[in-house]
Amino acid sequence: MPKSTPVLCGSISARPGPFGVAMHTAAYQAAGVPFTYVAFGVEDTGAAVQAVRALGIRGLGVSMPHKIRIMPYLDVIDETAARIGAVNTVVNDEGRLTGYNTDWTGALRALEEQTPVAGKRTVLVGAGGAARAIVYGLVRAGSQVVIYNKTASKGQALAQEFGTEWGGGPEELASIADADILVNATSVGFHAPEESIIPLSLLKPGRVVLDVIFMPPESRLVRDARACGCLAVPGTRMLVHQAARQFELYTGQPAPFEVMERALLERIHQL
Ligand code: NDP
């Protein structure tokens, strides 16, 4: 495609959010690609996919509640997204729409900046959409995962599906002795800067701690983990890595990660 051809990318969610726009727009400017990114608040998933086809939109970020609903409308589901059971990214190759999942890549890249996960024991709390993607990534990369969740049936089902261990409810976390990596994949802490689901007694120096929470960007868990000498990975890092993978899929180029991270943090601090 000629360099000057304008290309539209965007995202669909229940309400249009500012973070994808901030990260992708900054990345396109820095990389000098003629892309424009628009966030759409959408209710009808099928109609949104028709619009992608009709308008020739190149790439689409997909947030809840559309991540599962969108799957039947696409032409191809990448093997990984099919395994996770959710699509957060669509790429339009001349009318052929392929669904991907970049949440697991985001989490894995963010964790592996701190430690290789292969052979490591990971304690993960949560069994929702974010947890599914992260558990998939960890198991694929060779980590031994133990899942804890408030609703036991959901946690047990997730553990069984991915061949990992079931630990119990969050109240069991305090008795854990053995863990290299801790992950909060619940929504505890979201817009709640004083809440954390991981007890302080688990935050031993040297442990790697990933919190999926990106609002606030310095969650209670991240602050606790740093204070206890852990290697803390904030949810913003995961969010930027998943968006960076989207950039790679849309443009075929490496993503300007630092530019995207700076744009995200600036946008969050403006709120
Ligand atoms: P879901 O609604 O699918 O899952 C929520 C999870 O949190 C469930 O495991 C639920 O437990 C648990 N939970 C909720 N409230 C409590 C509570 N009071 N005590 C204990 N557990 C609780 O949400 P998602 O998985 O889609 O998202 C989870 C979080 O991850 C959100 O805050 C989201 O913003 C964030 N996120 C971050 C990303 C990033 O890149 N940083 C990417 C995607 C999501 P139960 O099953 O018992 O209900």
Side-chain angles (χ1 to χ4, degrees), residues 75-125:
D75 301 309
V76 182
I77 306 288
D78 153 80
E79 197 188 323
T80 303
R83 184 79 184 86
I84 294 168
V87 160
N88 80 324
T89 304
V90 176
V91 177
N92 180 354
D93 286 309
E94 294 174 357
R96 190 168 178 262
L97 305 192
T98 304
Y100 297 89
N101 188 300
T102 70
D103 284 331
W104 75 274
T105 330
L108 202 60
R109 287 183 180 180
L111 276 172
E112 294 213 308
E113 287 177 332
Q114 300 298 337
T115 180
V117 306
K120 298 284 168 58
R121 187 169 171 83
T122 301
V123 165
L124 178 141
V125 200

Side-chain angles (χ1 to χ4, degrees), residues 149-217:
N149 194 51
K150 182 164 60 74
T151 306
S153 55
K154 281 173 66 184
Q156 284 163 343
L158 183 61
Q160 190 175 23
E161 188 177 340
F162 288 100
T164 67
E165 221 178 294
W166 161 244
E171 66 284 356
E172 307 287 339
L173 286 167
S175 55
I176 290 168
D178 188 16
D180 304 301
I181 300 168
L182 306 169
V183 178
N184 170 39
T186 74
S187 45
V188 176
F190 191 62
H191 285 291
E194 294 312 321
E195 285 180 21
S196 167
I197 198 162
I198 307 269
L200 281 175
S201 61
L202 268 192
L203 301 175
K204 305 264 193 277
R207 282 185 175 165
V208 175
V209 179
L210 167 65
D211 193 356
V212 293
I213 298 303
F214 54 84
M215 274 305 273

